[in-house]
Amino acid sequence: MENERPVPPGRTERLEWAVVDSAVGSLLLAATARGLVSVAFHADGAVRERTLSRVAGQLGAEPVHRSTGRLAEPIRRVTEYFTGGLREFGLTLDWSLATGFNRQVLRELLDGVPYGTVVAYGELAKRVGQPRAAQAVGVAMGSNPLPLVVPCHRVVESDGGLGGFGSGLETKRRLLELEGVLPQPLF
């Protein structure tokens, strides 16, 4: 059975992955033994393969499709989030793909910007002690390996504009609508 293959030489761990359907399209969830390590939006075909290749390469891991069940809880919680029953994921995360300033910003975002709220890039920069680093905060959001769970969709421009979002502004808008931050469109 494919999931039972031994880890190849040079690879030290398994990167378990699954694709989950959601209100914003397919999501790739990937986890190591340390926790959820990656989330990717629009995870059909090429996006899924590219993401798995990149993450596995960075971690020196062998990607396997749902092997031990370590994704069961993340899948359950993501599903519950999209049905409106979950406001905080509370998952064990593997921060291996975020370092330095980016990790600091992402941790502040996770801990300090709850469901149904937003924060400006500049404000988030101030919170991590770098008040002139709003653009660097934007870079950190763009390199977030755990979007949705580490809610970079909650970071907006100081004038109220949506700002950017690696998975598209329509996805960001829909997530903010789900959390009650933006009104739903009339049409």
Side-chain angles (χ1 to χ4, degrees):
M1 183 174 183
E2 181 180 303
N3 291 345
E4 302 304 320
R5 292 183 306 195
V7 177
R11 303 273 176 135
T12 59
E13 67 180 313
R14 293 178 189 264
L15 177 69
E16 295 187 22
W17 65 273
V19 175
V20 180
D21 289 327
S22 78
V24 294
S26 59
L27 296 171
L28 170 70
L29 305 179
T32 66
R34 292 178 300 281
L36 188 67
V37 72
S38 181
V39 175
F41 288 93
H42 313 296
D44 295 322
V47 170
R48 181 185 67 235
E49 295 307 315
R50 220 176 16 255
T51 302
L52 286 172
S53 177
R54 179 183 48 77
V55 172
Q58 288 176 299
L59 298 174
E62 174 69 16
V64 292
H65 190 254
R66 287 193 198 189
S67 180
T68 67
R70 66 175 64 143
L71 286 169
E73 191 62 16
I75 290 169
R76 185 187 70 72
R77 291 187 187 191
V78 164
T79 301
E80 192 175 347
Y81 169 84
F82 281 106
T83 60
L86 183 79
R87 293 180 177 254
E88 184 177 320
F89 287 96
L91 294 166
T92 300
L93 303 177
D94 178 344
W95 290 95
S96 298
L97 299 176
T99 60
F101 179 78
N102 289 2
R103 183 186 292 194
Q104 181 184 9
V105 169
L106 293 172
R107 284 184 175 268
E108 175 58 32
L109 174 63
L110 179 64
D111 295 336
V113 185
Y115 183 98
T117 65
V118 294
V119 66
Y121 293 93
E123 174 59 27
L124 196 51
K126 287 178 194 171
R127 290 185 188 186
V128 297
Q130 301 291 328
R132 296 183 187 165
Q135 286 184 319
V137 166
V139 171
M141 296 305 102
S143 67
N144 180 2
L146 294 157
L148 183 64
V149 176
V150 178
C152 54
H153 61 278
R154 297 180 190 153
V155 183
V156 298
E157 294 176 346
S158 60
D159 66 2
L162 283 180
F165 194 63
S167 297
L169 289 181
E170 183 56 30
T171 299
K172 184 173 188 173
R173 182 180 312 282
R174 290 180 68 196
L175 292 171
L176 291 173
E177 286 171 0
L178 175 74
E179 294 188 12
V181 176
L182 293 177
Q184 292 187 346
L186 295 174
F187 303 98

